[in-house]
Amino acid sequence: MIRKLDMENLTYAFPEVAFSEDYVIATYQAKVQTSNIEKLAMAIAAEQTTGTWIKVGADSLDKTKRFGSKLVAIYEVPDIGCDYNSDEPPMYIIQVAYPMENFSTSMSAIETILFGNISASGMIRLIDVAFPKKFIEKFQGPKFGVEGMREVLGVKERPLLNAMIKPNIGWTPDEGAELFYNACKGGVDVIKDDELMLADSPFCPLEERVSKFMAMEKKVYEETGEHSLYAVNISDNTDKVKENAYRALEAGGNCLMVNVYTTGHDTLKMLADDPNINVPILAHVNFAGTMAASTYTGIAAPVIVGKLTRLAGGDFQINGHPFGKFPVSHKVFYRCFKFFTQPWWNIKPMMYACSGGTTQLAVEKIIKEIGTDIMLAAGGGVHGHPNGSEEGAKSMRQAIDAAMKGIPVLEYAKDHGELARMLAFLNPDLMKNFDLMQ
């Protein structure tokens, strides 16, 4: 007969188990009224491994020892003492160690083990996960990452500049190619499709738009000496994504884009791991808000858009910032950037493409927050210039130059007409600062 203490010790451990044995440690947040947090935490731990709500015949002590999880920490905030007199439940932080043997290199399997069934509880949030080095070494991660992107484009120090085709949809390959030419001639490094753009449609076929865009890339390079990338959206039915990628490459494509949070992280990993795909891959963030926007449920943004997408192989990723049109906090912005870029054994840093209302007025603020190893993704900031996309791109590059030189953007604009005109367009009150040429 197994004593109760022995059985409980199968499901309890100190966090040191992560260092001495092969475990993946997940950290959860739970704000819930409960009289027994130990029981709740053990239920969470069991639910994601061998546990069932009722005893089943095939269960065994050996299975629990080998495949069962371990509850390694429970914290409550505040750490309640005898003087606590509030009816408000504390915030619980629960850490669970899962045997590495339970995992594969499938991203969907990883996400299911970490947060599968328990995500349906409506009271738990996954806020971090720690993987052993030997597990991470099984992954390739980004092929290019920050340094690879810089090398491909020949840009050593300044932030890269990205613009999406605007309007989002409805344009023909010829119309898109003209916008591509004008924006890249003005200084855009990366042009991307909007996430709403279908990979292949009757009015804008994949091969046609890629070949016409790449013809413009060659023309711009001959005129300016600067290369540019076209991140073509290949998102589609799962069985068509790789076919779309190959078709884009055969048409001369030099960059791919995939809507990761609708097609899945395994789709991104499939593309990144393919030795025949040797171009940067843009991971688009759309739909991630369904997972990361809540305070009490879902997955913390740095984990889902940072750690897991980087692990799957995104070279750069569109993500929000606090100085644009989306409600992104400084905390989330900064922590996501760190999860994109901080050292992680063999996994290269992923470039953060700051998007969502990125204008000339936001450039200096973004660079001050997180530095220059970033991409500035500006749609309206380029194509919305009153004198067209070329001047819009020039004005963004001028705003970048101003920030790199430590000159306030309003001061720099006095000697740079493209920038001055765009600043006045963004904020008519600024017109009094300039003697603008009409």
Side-chain angles (χ1 to χ4, degrees), residues 134-298:
K134 63 174 67 177
F135 183 66
I136 294 300
E137 287 173 344
K138 297 178 181 180
F139 293 80
Q140 172 184 281
K143 270 197 181 92
F144 292 83
V146 174
E147 290 305 317
M149 293 284 295
R150 288 193 173 283
E151 185 175 346
V152 165
L153 289 164
V155 179
K156 293 183 179 180
E157 294 181 356
R158 67 166 171 82
L160 302 181
L161 177 59
N162 163 240
M164 52 293 295
I165 299 295
K166 295 288 184 180
N168 300 338
I169 57 175
W171 45 269
T172 66
D174 287 328
E175 290 170 333
E178 183 179 357
L179 286 169
F180 181 99
Y181 171 75
N182 290 329
C184 291
K185 187 178 179 182
V188 168
D189 301 296
V190 181
I191 292 285
K192 64 172 280 292
D193 284 338
D194 190 84
E195 61 275 13
L196 294 171
M197 186 70 183
L198 297 178
D200 204 12
S201 66
F203 64 86
C204 199
L206 178 68
E207 286 98 333
E208 184 181 351
R209 77 176 188 271
V210 171
S211 61
K212 288 183 175 179
F213 277 41
M214 296 316 297
M216 291 300 181
E217 195 280 335
K218 181 179 179 181
K219 184 178 179 181
V220 169
Y221 178 68
E222 290 170 348
E223 294 176 0
T224 67
E226 293 188 357
H227 277 297
S228 47
L229 298 175
Y230 171 39
V232 55
N233 190 12
I234 59 169
S235 305
D236 208 326
N237 295 334
T238 303
D239 61 341
K240 292 184 179 180
V241 173
K242 182 176 282 192
E243 175 190 336
N244 291 342
Y246 280 23
R247 288 167 60 203
L249 296 179
E250 288 169 5
N254 60 4
C255 189
L256 302 173
M257 170 180 142
V258 63
N259 295 335
V260 174
Y261 304 91
T262 49
T263 63
H265 279 96
D266 274 322
T267 299
L268 171 61
K269 187 173 183 294
M270 171 187 70
L271 298 169
D273 288 352
D274 190 332
N276 297 314
I277 297 176
N278 288 299
V279 298
I281 301 173
L282 164 59
H284 203 285
V285 78
N286 78 89
F287 210 71
T290 62
M291 309 173 203
S294 173
T295 300
Y296 300 112
T297 59

Side-chain angles (χ1 to χ4, degrees), residues 47 51-56:
E47 182 68 28
T52 58
W53 69 273
I54 191 170
K55 181 70 175 176
V56 295

